[in-house]
Amino acid sequence: QVQLVESGGGLVQPGGSLRLSCVASGTIFSLSRMGWYRQAPGKERELVAHINSDGSTNYVESVKGRFTISRDNTKNTVYLQMNSLKAEDTAVYYCDLVAYDRSRYWGQGTQVTVSS
């Protein structure tokens, strides 16, 4: 059974930083594509960033240059380093895993609030 456990959300002032973590279990992490999505109140869930099993990455335009996705296959963990946070980054952030067999799983979400 695949499980994703996120952590690292919280309240931060504009311009601040946070690092989200997502620990996966129950599948072959190194073969999985990992991603972070977010959903703000009243909006659709949107892709923030992906990292493939080969380490290649993809970002939504609005976070390029501010956010960095990375993975540590020895710890079955994917990270999202978020710098220069803005109020519009406020959302629930979800970890996403697409396994080698194309099964897809989601974490429970972690709240990120950017406010002064």
Side-chain angles (χ1 to χ4, degrees), residues 9-97:
L11 173 64
V12 63
Q13 293 187 341
S17 298
L18 283 175
R19 188 176 81 155
L20 305 183
S21 301
C22 173
V23 181
S25 60
T27 190
I28 305 173
F29 181 82
S30 61
L31 298 181
S32 302
R33 187 189 75 179
M34 301 300 301
W36 288 98
Y37 284 70
R38 66 186 179 187
Q39 188 167 18
K43 294 189 176 181
E44 298 284 322
R45 189 174 297 190
E46 66 168 355
L47 168 69
V48 177
H50 278 150
I51 184 165
N52 294 308
S53 57
D54 64 0
S56 59
T57 58
N58 179 48
Y59 296 90
V60 68
E61 192 64 34
S62 61
V63 308
K64 284 182 179 178
R66 300 189 297 123
F67 291 10
T68 302
I69 189 170
S70 62
R71 64 191 296 159
D72 185 341
N73 290 341
T74 67
K75 297 181 179 179
N76 286 5
T77 302
V78 62
Y79 304 98
L80 185 68
Q81 178 66 45
M82 305 186 293
N83 298 329
S84 302
L85 282 160
K86 305 175 181 179
E88 51 263 43
D89 296 317
T90 295
V92 178
Y93 284 69
Y94 296 91
C95 179
D96 163 65
L97 181 151

